[in-house]
Amino acid sequence: MNISDIANTVIRGDCIEILRGLPEKSFDLIFADPPYNLQLEGELYRPNQTRVDAVDEEWDRFGSFAEYDEFTVKWLEACRRVMKDDASIWVIGSYHNIFRVGKIMQDIGFWFLNDIIWVKTNPMPNFNGVRFTNAHETMIWAKKSREQKRYRFNYQAMKTLNNDKQMRSDWEIPICSGGEREKSGVSKAHPTQKPEALLRRVILASSEPGDLVLDPFFGTGTTGAVAKKLGRNWVGIEKSAAYIEVARARIGAVSGPEDDPSLYRTPSRRDMPRVTIGNLIEHGLLREGGTLYSVNRAVSAAIAADGSLVLDGFRGSIHRAGVFAAKTRLCNGWTYWHYEQDGELKQIDDLREIYVKEVFPVENKS
Ligand SMILES: C[S@@+](CC[C@H](N)C(=O)[O-])C[C@H]1O[C@@H](n2cnc3c(N)ncnc32)[C@H](O)[C@@H]1O
């Protein structure tokens, strides 16, 4: 199967079989929302005796944990094979499955970048009052292997979205409801339709316009709808014909980018002019002899005239000094080191932005 022939389509079938028939290294990004294996025991009722519309579909039923694990190994391996060398994958789940899925991902060779907690601002209560309200799901964001050097992370876009503060790993987003919820008559068309806001953040964070995004458990096509809105290409795999019908109608009604394409591109650091600590010193934003700190002030370093940092007998770039101070393998010195202003610590990354704005002002083209 040629990958360009299936771009922006939903394929009906078992994702393990379909993925095995696709060319390897085809996708830039994967979002997977697999069966939860909820193992519900009996019906669930609200205090007013109305029945809770829980996930009791056949596609969520597995005979045992072993059967679920076997299925999980197979679809994850099939996904890994079709990821490009700089691709990343997101997998969402609840306490029922995410720990099993996470262990299997690590066993297969995926390397975790983050786990994101989706905090549901309007969760379903625990009607029986016998446990805590289950108010979050977890998303694992991973690359193919520990050795994989490149993956896309639109750091700056996430920071801008978050009111110019580094985006955190807890995202407060309501569950899908109201007009966004796909209906079949008066009932929900699908029990686990994800909110578009969640997918919007995932896709904006880890892909570029024109990228090819795969969702092997497509359901109502939330990934496809958001990918289309953001100018990404997508492929969905889903085994239920009824859900495919819902997804196709939904995505058909969405319009892709028709206006200025640059609005869908989120500039990354790589696209910006290169700035060094030396530039910041020359521009008076930092001074030699000054001090930089780690976020909690546990570590401090002196700024040398050539822009290197000096601490505890070590001298090197902001990144190498960060590795030395934090005792990690990799460190982004721009976000690790902070300068003090009016008693407050701020990332030196902010100074880089100030420098770029002042030294390379955007030309007024109008
Ligand atoms: C948790 S739901 C995904 C919901 C989706 N994210 C949305 O927003 O609508 C999982 C979906 O995977 C589908 N599914 C389950 N096993 C599958 C398989 N082996 N291959 C393809 N689809 C499968 C189910 O029919 C179900 O629609």
Side-chain angles (χ1 to χ4, degrees):
M1 208 181 286
N2 194 329
I3 210 69
S4 54
D5 295 343
I6 58 161
N8 306 314
T9 64
V10 196
I11 305 170
R12 183 173 174 199
D14 170 34
C15 64
I16 299 166
E17 281 168 29
I18 305 278
L19 288 174
R20 285 177 181 163
L22 296 183
E24 60 170 357
K25 302 188 182 182
S26 297
F27 294 96
D28 299 287
L29 179 67
I30 299 181
F31 177 81
D33 180 10
Y36 293 80
N37 191 21
L38 283 190
Q39 306 185 311
L40 290 179
E41 286 157 1
E43 301 280 18
L44 187 57
Y45 289 89
R46 297 188 178 84
N48 67 4
Q49 290 311 303
T50 51
R51 191 175 152 271
V52 175
D53 200 3
V55 186
D56 57 0
E57 272 67 11
E58 183 275 326
W59 57 258
D60 202 47
R61 291 197 205 122
F62 293 81
S64 61
F65 282 139
E67 196 185 303
Y68 185 76
D69 292 354
E70 198 184 319
F71 163 73
T72 304
V73 170
K74 285 186 185 153
W75 74 257
L76 277 168
E77 279 179 341
C79 279
R80 194 158 178 265
R81 194 185 70 82
V82 296
M83 286 168 72
K84 288 185 185 168
D85 285 338
D86 57 357
S88 66
I89 181 169
W90 294 75
V91 185
I92 186 166
S94 62
Y95 71 87
H96 307 88
N97 64 333
I98 199 67
F99 300 104
R100 312 190 78 79
V101 170
K103 181 211 181 268
I104 291 169
M105 287 178 80
Q106 289 183 318
D107 287 350
I108 288 175
F110 285 104
W111 192 258
F112 291 178
L113 294 165
N114 277 115
D115 68 328
I116 299 287
I117 303 298
W118 165 29
V119 179
K120 302 178 182 179
T121 54
N122 52 348
M124 197 173 11
N126 183 270
F127 292 110
N128 294 336
V130 292
R131 301 189 197 178
F132 297 107
T133 298
N134 195 14
H136 75 274
E137 291 190 29
T138 302
M139 288 191 290
I140 295 173
W141 181 39
K143 52 182 187 168
K144 278 172 85 172
S145 67
R146 183 179 190 170
E147 293 71 37
Q148 180 181 333
K149 288 220 165 54
R150 289 168 65 98
Y151 58 89
R152 175 149 283 270
F153 177 45
N154 296 320
Y155 171 79
Q156 196 56 37
M158 290 297 103
K159 188 173 171 188
T160 309
L161 259 189
N162 194 35
N163 212 8
D164 263 349
K165 292 202 186 77
Q166 220 176 46
M167 182 70 86
R168 295 161 40 125
S169 60
D170 46 350
W171 298 358
E172 293 191 357
I173 294 177
I175 59 171
C176 177
S177 60
E180 191 185 319
R181 188 99 213 185
E182 292 296 322
K183 302 272 179 350
S184 158
V186 286
S187 330
K188 297 173 188 169
H190 195 291
T192 68
Q193 181 182 337
K194 295 297 171 295
E196 291 202 4
L198 191 73
L199 267 297
R200 178 171 275 277
R201 221 179 266 187
V202 163
I203 291 175
L204 265 186
S206 49
S207 70
E208 285 194 280
D211 275 359
L212 188 57
V213 183
L214 167 73
D215 184 335
F217 301 102
F218 206 52
T220 59
T222 312
T223 304
V226 176
K228 186 173 174 188
K229 286 182 186 174
L230 294 174
R232 275 69 169 168
N233 296 303
W234 53 273
V235 170
I237 306 174
E238 170 57 57
K239 67 180 187 186
S240 150
Y243 294 154
I244 291 182
E245 203 178 308
V246 173
R248 286 197 179 128
R250 175 183 186 184
I251 298 168
V254 163
S255 38
E258 280 154 13
D259 32 26
D260 179 358
S262 71
L263 295 179
Y264 297 84
R265 207 162 280 288
T266 50
S268 80
R269 282 283 172 219
R270 277 187 237 149
D271 309 321
M272 282 179 147
R274 202 176 121 70
V275 182
T276 64
I277 291 290
N279 295 140
L280 300 184
I281 298 174
E282 285 161 3
H283 205 66
L285 291 166
L286 288 176
R287 63 172 185 83
E288 52 274 295
T291 307
L292 296 182
Y293 304 90
S294 62
V295 67
N296 52 7
R297 292 183 196 265
V299 182
S300 62
I303 307 171
D306 60 1
S308 57
L309 297 188
V310 180
L311 69 156
D312 296 339
F314 178 90
R315 180 171 179 144
S317 70
I318 51 168
H319 308 298
R320 291 186 50 224
V323 166
F324 175 80
K327 300 183 177 52
T328 51
R329 229 164 51 90
L330 290 172
C331 176
N332 179 350
W334 291 105
T335 52
Y336 181 80
W337 294 107
H338 296 67
Y339 67 102
E340 185 165 2
Q341 190 180 53
D342 303 329
E344 247 186 81
L345 287 189
K346 299 189 171 166
Q347 276 181 1
I348 55 171
D349 205 27
D350 298 348
L351 295 179
R352 184 159 63 153
E353 265 172 52
I354 295 171
Y355 177 85
V356 170
K357 275 191 196 129
E358 287 178 5
V359 178
F360 305 96
V362 180
E363 284 170 30
N364 187 350
K365 293 192 176 129
S366 58

